[in-house]
Amino acid sequence: MIGAVVDVLVAGAGPAGWAVAAACAREGLHTLLVDPAPARHWTATYALWRDELPSLPAAAIAAAPATTVAFGRTGHVLGREYLVLDNTRLRHWLTDERVEVRQGKLDSTVQGGHGSTAVLDGGSRVAAAVVIDASGSRPHRGPRAEQTAYGVTLSTAEAAEVAPAADASTAVFMDWRDSATFLYSIPLGHDRVLVEETSLARKPGLPLDHLADRLRARLARAGVTEPRRRERVRIALDTPPPVRGSALGFGAAGGFVHPATGYSIATSLALAPAVAAALADGLPGGPGRALRAARHAVWPASALAVHQLRRKGLHALRSMPADALPAFFDLFFALPDDLQRAYTSGRTDIAGTTSAMANLFRTAPWRLRARLAL
């Protein structure tokens, strides 16, 4: 049986799903949000650069460290402000009461001449003009290039013993000085600091047990007992942009994950209003037109070109021996702030991305140049 027609069905009640569902509701679109556990807590730790989302309300920020540093072989003070999000308040900011919420899982989407039919688990069907898949990374045959991490939440005093550069006002974006993997340490507010052992990009990803062992060794050397609050991270980095299909991919399901950094939340939050506006403008001309307009809002030619350049960056990172990575990041963090910003956050900035990559190549020693040219 097919239920009532909705303008937009969004699958996935994470930050990406709620961001685009709420934006659609604000445009006056009848929006249905479907998720197997729509009220579940968001357990991941989300962070972004302030310049990526200037509209972010202060209430959604758990911590705004005064200083952000990175270490290759030497230290670098980064010229951008790094923010850690408060998941409860972020969810409150994104939630819109006009969005209809239903428990269920999207199994498949069948596109027709007058829209789509979303098939949910259990066989129920919902007719929707447009379906948006924001349910996370899709299954994939074979190994993926992945970023993996294992983290624990410590008190500020404990974190200072494990990561000497860490304190309540400093974010350690990455620290390669003591391992073939790097340490990531960020304040969470309320005398809490997240410390993670992180593998940047491997195919397949470095096993979490391996990272946990490395972090436990750090804790043991500092005389710190492993706490119960743990975080496990596995992010697929090589997801191609889904530029076809009966549903619009959004968030991790839409290929938003930066291939070389693993970040995506700022992109999801920033693009949601543009997608909603494209759907609202396009729907009077039919569902097909609306879907094409929304897809173009997400993946204009410039974004596709930058994504390909970033995938080349991922390939270069994966090709480097572990002992070359600290030197590489010393070069990257020595770039001007605008070039760092272009490569990490300039999703449609072809000129800035190519300039950052060209500057890295020019300043790299010959050993690294050979890897960057692959």
Side-chain angles (χ1 to χ4, degrees):
M1 178 179 294
I2 298 180
V5 176
V6 299
D7 294 319
V8 181
L9 182 146
V10 178
W18 260 115
V20 73
C24 288
R26 288 194 297 271
E27 289 285 349
L29 302 176
H30 181 189
T31 306
L32 173 64
L33 182 69
V34 176
D35 189 275
R40 76 189 188 281
H41 295 294
W42 298 343
T43 58
T45 301
Y46 300 111
L48 48 77
W49 301 100
R50 186 183 288 277
D51 55 42
E52 293 177 314
L53 199 70
S55 62
L56 186 70
I61 300 171
T67 305
T68 301
V69 298
F71 297 89
R73 291 195 181 99
T74 61
H76 307 265
V77 177
L78 307 189
R80 302 169 70 193
E81 188 176 6
Y82 195 62
L83 304 177
V84 183
L85 304 186
D86 182 304
N87 288 1
T88 300
R89 293 179 176 178
L90 176 66
R91 187 184 194 117
H92 179 75
W93 178 54
L94 294 176
T95 299
D96 192 303
E97 293 181 352
R98 291 168 291 187
V99 176
E100 181 184 349
V101 180
R102 182 182 304 180
Q103 184 173 2
K105 179 182 179 183
L106 178 67
D107 278 347
S108 61
T109 303
V110 180
Q111 192 170 19
H114 302 285
S116 299
T117 299
V119 182
L120 308 183
D121 56 341
S124 62
R125 296 167 178 255
V126 178
V130 175
V131 174
I132 298 177
D133 182 2
S135 59
S137 296
R138 314 310 302 157
H140 177 78
R141 292 182 181 178
R144 303 296 299 263
E146 293 176 318
Q147 181 179 126
T148 53
Y150 181 88
V152 296
T153 299
L154 305 174
S155 69
T156 303
E158 290 171 328
E161 295 295 325
V162 178
D167 59 44
S169 62
T170 302
V172 181
F173 190 67
M174 55 174 58
D175 186 345
W176 291 93
R177 291 175 297 175
D178 191 36
S179 178
T181 53
F182 71 87
L183 200 64
Y184 171 76
S185 175
I186 54 170
L188 303 175
H190 307 291
D191 191 39
R192 296 176 304 135
V193 176
L194 173 67
V195 177
E196 286 187 344
E197 194 78 39
T198 308
S199 172
L200 187 61
R202 289 172 63 109
K203 186 175 183 178
L206 197 65
L208 293 179
D209 287 348
H210 188 72
L211 292 166
D213 287 344
R214 290 190 176 189
L215 184 57
R216 286 170 185 142
R218 291 185 192 263
L219 296 174
R221 289 196 297 270
V224 174
T225 303
E226 183 178 3
R228 292 184 179 180
R229 171 69 174 90
R230 300 161 187 164
E231 183 162 331
R232 296 168 176 84
V233 178
R234 185 178 294 278
I235 302 171
L237 300 172
D238 55 356
T239 303
V243 294
R244 295 182 179 83
S246 55
L248 173 71
F250 196 80
F256 288 11
V257 173
H258 193 305
T261 70
Y263 283 69
S264 68
I265 190 166
T267 299
S268 298
L269 300 182
L271 283 178
V275 167
L279 291 173
D281 290 344
L283 276 174
R289 179 177 177 180
L291 180 60
R292 289 191 297 272
R295 188 164 279 138
H296 183 265
V298 171
W299 288 110
S302 56
L304 290 170
V306 168
H307 192 78
Q308 284 301 109
L309 290 171
R310 289 172 168 182
R311 292 190 73 170
K312 289 183 181 295
L314 169 63
H315 179 73
L317 285 173
R318 288 185 46 238
S319 72
M320 290 183 194
D323 61 357
L325 288 169
F328 170 81
F329 282 104
D330 278 331
L331 292 173
F332 180 82
F333 290 118
L335 290 176
D337 290 343
D338 62 327
L339 293 185
Q340 293 184 43
R341 183 183 302 110
Y343 187 76
T344 59
S345 307
R347 190 169 182 269
T348 59
D349 187 357
I350 300 174
T353 302
T354 54
S355 181
M357 296 174 78
N359 272 269
L360 274 173
F361 185 81
R362 281 198 300 269
T363 57
W366 285 107
R367 181 189 178 201
L368 279 180
R369 282 192 186 186
R371 301 290 179 177
L372 294 174
L374 291 176

